[in-house]
Amino acid sequence: MCVFKFKKVFRLLRMMLGLGVFNPELFIEAALNHLERNYSDIDCAIACISGGVDSVTTALIAKRALKDKVLPVFIDTGLMRYGEPEAVKNALSGVIDLTIYDYSNSIVSNLSGLSDAEEKRKVFRDLFYSAVSNVARRHGCSYVVQGTTKADVVETLGGVKTQHNVLTQELLLKYGVKVIEPLRDLYKYEVKALAYYLGLPSSIVQRQPFPGPGLLIRAVGKFHVDKLSLVRYATKIVDERLSVRNYSQYFPAVWEYDVINEGYLGNSLFKVFSVKTTGVVGGSRVYGHPILIEDFNKRDVVKLHEQFDVVKHPHILISLASKDSGKYFIAVRVVETRDYVTASVPVIERSLLLKLAEELLENPDVKAVGYDVTPKPPATIEYE
Ligand code: XMP
């Protein structure tokens, strides 16, 4: 009921502003009023922070309204990038005082051996919220503040993929917590406007999004510790090479170089991988085998996915470099987007991509590297 009222007030405010232009000042006023009116008498709430703009902005607003009742925490899932928990804590020092809880061993070991993308996401969600509810109980808190945004809700309710933070009533009962999600109706660009309005530095506002399930969904297919280590290693290299470019999101994913079929597109040989990755076609989820095109450098890369049945092959990649040894393939994914519901692929100069690929190939376990040329839709940004 309260959430409903808040949404109505918010929508009314938006209409009054006209033209759907987002006004951070009015939004914050409405959000603070709502939180103060409805949650002032709660025991307490832990605010789950990942270091991204959604969770940090959410925690700041909740803290402003509910003061000491909000305890910011970082749950280390073991699926983060190199040194991430400490880096986030340091980046937020002076803004938010964060306590880190380490659940890495139990989460990583319980995920090992899982292959199916949705199963991985659901098991992760269960492990993550078991940890969250554990931390909340330790502090005697019945509430969790989290930075769910509209894109998360749209993807989950639309059946595209189970975003880790979109919980049903049944799940909330299971974990014994209630959630407070002040940004649930906002798109990422609105959250960013809000974050700037609150005075957050660009280093946090422009930090590229990192999914809740972390490197789990970038270690594509069967999950195990070696693959996790390799994707973490590759992430560091891709970050170093591409961070100066300000793309909306850029990252590598890793899967076994296991080819189940081959064919020709014109004169270009293409290979079909055994692993499956996700896409979104006509608003619905698809799950099919990615394709790698060899010797491809002349055609319009943005349209390349139109040459294949996207339901069966939601991600199309072009080959950058390969060698005879090694057993893993690394996909380099770069997208430009405002709302993260649709995304385009930038055309990056080949020399930069080749340099990046050669560097990734130095790892003895890596057999080949490719660049993903599929927009969203039909591919999703992540592979699982
Ligand atoms: P997709 O792959 O759905 O990604 O096109 C859209 C945006 O959402 C991020 N993403 C997630 N974020 N929990 C999150 O907090 C998740 O389960 C999740 N899955 C995807 C993705 O990184 C991209 O920015």
Side-chain angles (χ1 to χ4, degrees):
M1 183 67 177
C2 298
V3 173
F4 177 70
K5 262 193 196 154
F6 173 65
K7 279 185 179 166
K8 222 168 136 188
V9 172
F10 177 51
R11 247 179 256 128
L12 214 79
L13 285 174
R14 269 186 139 166
M15 275 167 59
M16 281 161 60
L17 279 169
L19 304 172
V21 177
F22 178 68
N23 182 320
E25 191 180 352
L26 279 184
F27 178 86
I28 289 178
E29 207 182 308
L32 291 179
N33 275 338
H34 173 76
L35 290 170
E36 282 161 9
R37 224 175 319 115
N38 296 292
Y39 298 101
S40 288
D41 58 354
I42 63 170
D43 41 18
C44 56
I46 58 162
C48 287
I49 291 190
S50 65
V53 64
D54 303 342
S55 60
V56 174
T57 307
T58 301
L60 271 188
I61 292 176
K63 196 116 188 87
R64 203 177 264 194
L66 307 176
K67 316 268 178 326
D68 291 347
K69 295 205 168 198
V70 176
L71 314 167
V73 303
F74 181 100
I75 308 253
D76 184 354
T77 58
L79 302 164
M80 312 283 172
R81 294 163 285 197
Y82 273 123
E84 186 145 21
E86 296 71 27
V88 169
K89 190 173 164 66
N90 292 338
L92 290 178
S93 78
V95 182
I96 284 173
D97 190 16
L98 204 56
T99 309
I100 299 174
Y101 290 90
D102 186 357
Y103 282 84
S104 53
N105 286 340
S106 65
I107 291 183
V108 168
S109 62
N110 276 296
L111 289 164
S112 293
L114 298 181
S115 298
D116 177 79
E118 273 297 281
E119 192 187 1
K120 283 163 86 174
R121 281 178 165 275
K122 285 181 178 157
V123 174
F124 170 79
R125 182 178 61 186
D126 187 41
L127 295 165
F128 181 75
Y129 280 97
S130 298
V132 167
S133 100
N134 211 287
V135 172
R137 235 178 294 124
R138 271 206 235 176
H139 288 283
C141 300
S142 320
Y143 286 80
V144 174
V145 176
Q146 59 176 26
T148 315
T149 62
K150 196 160 186 161
D152 304 331
V153 179
V154 169
E155 304 265 296
T156 304
L157 300 187
V160 177
K161 58 174 70 165
T162 307
Q163 304 272 319
H164 81 289
N165 51 350
V166 180
L167 302 175
T168 58
Q169 281 307 320
E170 190 190 349
L171 287 170
L172 289 171
L173 279 178
K174 177 176 175 192
Y175 303 120
V177 289
K178 295 170 206 142
V179 290
I180 304 176
E181 299 171 308
L183 308 188
R184 200 177 158 101
D185 274 345
L186 301 191
Y187 282 112
K188 182 78 84 189
Y189 59 91
E190 295 169 321
V191 179
K192 285 183 177 174
L194 210 53
Y196 276 128
Y197 183 81
L198 287 169
L200 283 173
S202 277
S203 55
I204 293 173
V205 183
Q206 296 303 347
R207 192 169 183 257
Q208 58 158 333
F210 187 62
L215 300 177
L216 168 71
I217 54 170
R218 295 177 182 172
V220 182
K222 191 166 178 175
F223 181 73
H224 50 80
V225 180
D226 289 349
K227 208 190 261 183
L228 174 63
S229 302
L230 182 57
V231 74
R232 188 171 282 136
Y233 155 89
T235 300
K236 191 164 185 290
I237 294 175
V238 170
D239 275 350
E240 279 164 9
R241 292 277 158 227
L242 296 181
S243 59
V244 286
R245 295 298 183 95
N246 287 327
Y247 296 122
S248 309
Q249 204 167 352
Y250 45 93
F251 58 88
V254 170
W255 58 78
E256 283 79 9
Y257 192 99
D258 181 24
V259 173
I260 51 169
N261 211 346
E262 289 187 350
Y264 277 91
L265 179 71
N267 290 324
S268 302
L269 173 69
F270 69 81
K271 295 178 173 171
V272 182
F273 288 111
S274 67
V275 80
K276 280 178 152 183
T277 57
T278 60
V280 50
V281 177
S284 301
R285 175 176 196 265
V286 296
Y287 192 44
H289 305 283
I291 281 184
L292 177 69
I293 305 190
E294 304 277 2
D295 310 323
F296 185 90
N297 54 22
K298 290 207 174 59
R299 257 167 277 196
D300 174 9
V301 291
V302 179
K303 293 277 160 59
L304 188 53
H305 64 279
E306 291 178 5
Q307 315 289 324
F308 295 93
D309 177 351
V310 293
V311 173
K312 290 188 182 143
H313 309 291
H315 285 264
I316 310 294
L317 302 106
I318 51 174
S319 174
L320 294 174
S322 63
K323 65 179 192 269
D324 290 337
S325 58
K327 65 177 220 189
Y328 289 107
F329 175 76
I330 296 186
V332 177
R333 180 85 165 130
V334 185
V335 294
E336 289 282 50
T337 174
R338 229 161 80 90
D339 57 15
Y340 291 80
V341 175
T342 61
S344 62
V345 177
V347 179
I348 301 180
E349 63 273 23
R350 211 170 158 76
S351 56
L352 173 65
L353 290 175
L354 289 179
K355 220 158 137 195
L356 175 61
E358 290 300 339
E359 205 172 334
L360 292 168
L361 219 52
E362 281 170 20
N363 185 302
D365 292 332
V366 179
K367 174 161 179 56
V369 181
Y371 182 59
D372 194 325
V373 293
T374 338
K376 175 184 180 179
T380 47
I381 295 174
E382 304 286 346
Y383 289 89
E384 293 190 323

